[in-house]
Each structure stands twice: as structure tokens, then as C-alpha cells.
Amino acid sequence: MRDNGPVNQADQDAPETSRDDRSPSDAAADEHAGAGRGSRLYPRVTSFRSRRGSLTGPQQSAWDRMWPKIGRDVGDDLLDTASWFGREAPLIIEIGSGTGTATAAMAKAEPHVNLIAVEVYRPGLAQLLQLVEREQIPNVRVLRGDAVEVLEHMVAPESLTGVRVFFPDPWPKARHHKRRLLQAPTFALIASRLKPGGVLHVATDHAEYAEAIREAGDAEPLLTELDWESPITHERPVTKFEDKAHQVGSTITDLIWGKIK
């Protein structure tokens, strides 16, 4: 565990747009994007919040250019990452990439890895596509949909070098804790997808959730305290939202586990 200072979740969270709750304009936008996959894109029970948003003109243009090249919706087929990226390289999945600020920065800092960002919020993905296009970042791909669906159906066992979950929704009310992403079943799923020696890196700015995450992660038998050289960096870029959060005294907790070799 490492305390790095405060953070605001606005730049990282993956807000939910339930298919039942979407406006007609949101539904039309999804259909335009080729995302009409019903419950597979927006599962009925999820760990992320509902928030709507439409694309700006520049975002839509970037989406039209970049999505066919580096974007996909959640599906049932295993990913052929070597074909998708055009190379064999260590694979990292980031769950809930938000607007992609940290995603883009970390991909640039680790050009030797293949990085898949998983997000449900289309405007956030569009911002990441803009960053990838503008900064010519070759090692990023994006998946739109629930990360649990991705891990269950699209990722082979013991194929990941790293998984990152930065600032998942804490669902602070006790009656909502069941919706939290990071509970025992998800830890077991993530552990099954990590290679031996692979790393799970979680960050949260919610103290009570941090303790719950720590307890669940420590209880997963395939995960242990990392006592070998990590195959991925643990340094996260400070986003503008995180910088603002310093002013209110929020504290960030980083939790890192390795899969038993």
C-alpha cells in the first residue's frame, strides 16, 4: 500500500448509462457507432453510475476516424491481441479509463506494452481517441462495455501482465456496497486472467472502500504482496482533477498485488 496524495474521481470513473435509461438521442448515437448490442454493452447490474453525454463535433469526427481502427464493443469472442495491435507484447487492461488522460500518459511512458482501456462512457472514450490520434500513441486499444464481461468472455486465462483499476466508484452508502466492482468474485476473475507474476494495481480516494478492497484482495489465494520486480510501472500521472483534489485534503491509497508465480 502506498499513499500518494489526494484525487478526484471525475477524470477516471467509468459512469454507467443504462440501456433502459438512455434518451432517444443517446440510443441513436449508439446505433450510429455500431454499438447496438443490448445487454452485452450495458449489463443489467453494473458497478458504475448512470451519466449521459453527447459527443461534440470534434469528438464525433475523431470517433468516426479512430473507432474502426482501435475500438470495439464487448463481445463473446476471445481477443486476438497480437493481430489487433500488430505485435506481441505484454498486455495491460485498464478498467474504467474515464476521459483517458492517465491512459494516454501511461501508454506513452510504456511503449513496450499493449494497453487496452475498458470504459462504458462514450464521450470519455471519444476524448481518449482524440488523445491517441493527436499524440500518435500506437499502443492503445479501447473496448466499450462492462469490464467483467470483457474479462469473462474476451480475455484468455493467464494472458495479462497487468490490470489497473483507478478510482472505481466507491458506492459509499451501505445499501449500495453490493454494487462495488472490487469484491471477492472480481478479484478471483482478475487473478485468473493474470499471468503468474502479473500485477493488479488499484487506486482509490475513498478510505472505507480502500479497506474493503484491501481485505478482499488479501483474501484472494492467487494474489500476494508483491515482493519481486514488477513487470509494469506503478507511477500514475497526476491529472488536473487530482491536482484540484489536493486542495480539499483527499488522500489516495494505492494497493498492489502480484499473482503467485
Side-chain angles (χ1 to χ4, degrees):
M1 184 273 285
R2 188 172 77 240
D3 289 339
N4 287 349
V7 72
N8 183 300
Q9 292 177 215
D11 192 52
Q12 303 294 343
D13 272 356
E16 175 188 2
T17 305
S18 168
R19 180 160 290 275
D20 292 337
D21 293 340
R22 290 178 305 150
S23 68
S25 60
D26 290 331
D30 279 349
E31 194 64 31
H32 174 77
R37 302 184 63 90
S39 62
R40 295 307 307 279
L41 182 59
Y42 298 110
R44 183 178 61 83
V45 178
T46 56
S47 62
F48 28 84
R49 294 180 186 273
S50 177
R51 194 175 84 191
R52 298 189 182 99
S54 57
L55 303 190
T56 65
Q59 286 175 345
Q60 184 65 61
S61 296
W63 186 282
D64 292 341
R65 289 189 300 270
M66 298 298 292
W67 183 259
K69 300 177 182 177
I70 67 170
R72 295 183 185 178
D73 292 316
V74 63
D76 291 315
D77 297 328
L78 281 176
L79 290 169
D80 181 352
T81 55
S83 175
W84 200 16
F85 284 88
R87 67 173 186 174
E88 295 276 4
L91 182 62
I92 299 174
I93 283 185
E94 180 185 357
I95 295 175
S97 56
T99 60
T101 303
T103 309
M106 296 183 82
K108 290 170 66 177
E110 296 177 296
H112 62 288
V113 308
N114 292 339
L115 176 58
I116 296 177
V118 182
E119 175 60 82
V120 296
Y121 186 52
R122 192 165 174 258
L125 285 173
Q127 291 184 60
L128 176 54
L129 293 178
Q130 287 180 301
L131 283 170
V132 168
E133 183 179 41
R134 182 171 63 249
E135 300 182 21
Q136 299 184 22
I137 307 172
N139 59 327
V140 172
R141 301 293 183 268
V142 296
L143 286 172
R144 188 183 184 206
D146 187 299
V148 172
E149 293 278 305
V150 170
L151 292 170
E152 285 181 339
H153 302 290
M154 304 183 76
V155 177
E158 298 195 344
S159 63
L160 301 178
T161 297
V163 174
R164 291 173 174 144
V165 190
F166 295 157
F167 313 109
D169 197 315
W171 291 101
K173 295 182 180 178
R175 67 178 183 271
H176 293 153
H177 285 184
K178 62 186 177 182
R179 299 196 62 159
R180 288 175 167 177
L181 172 67
L182 293 172
Q183 302 187 64
T186 310
F187 273 101
L189 177 59
I190 290 173
S192 74
R193 275 20 184 193
L194 285 171
K195 294 180 177 181
V199 170
L200 169 61
H201 180 185
V202 177
T204 180
D205 62 347
H206 190 276
E208 185 273 329
Y209 193 21
E211 290 307 308
I213 292 170
R214 188 197 315 276
E215 181 178 350
D218 288 348
E220 168 51 49
L222 292 178
L223 299 178
T224 187
E225 181 179 354
L226 190 69
D227 60 0
W228 58 87
E229 183 177 356
S230 177
I232 68 173
T233 181
H234 302 155
E235 297 303 318
R236 295 178 295 96
V238 177
T239 68
K240 63 181 179 180
F241 298 99
E242 182 173 346
D243 188 55
K244 290 178 181 178
H246 280 272
Q247 302 174 24
V248 297
S250 298
T251 298
I252 180 174
T253 300
D254 284 84
L255 299 159
I256 300 169
W257 292 270
K259 182 171 179 177
I260 294 172
K261 296 183 179 182

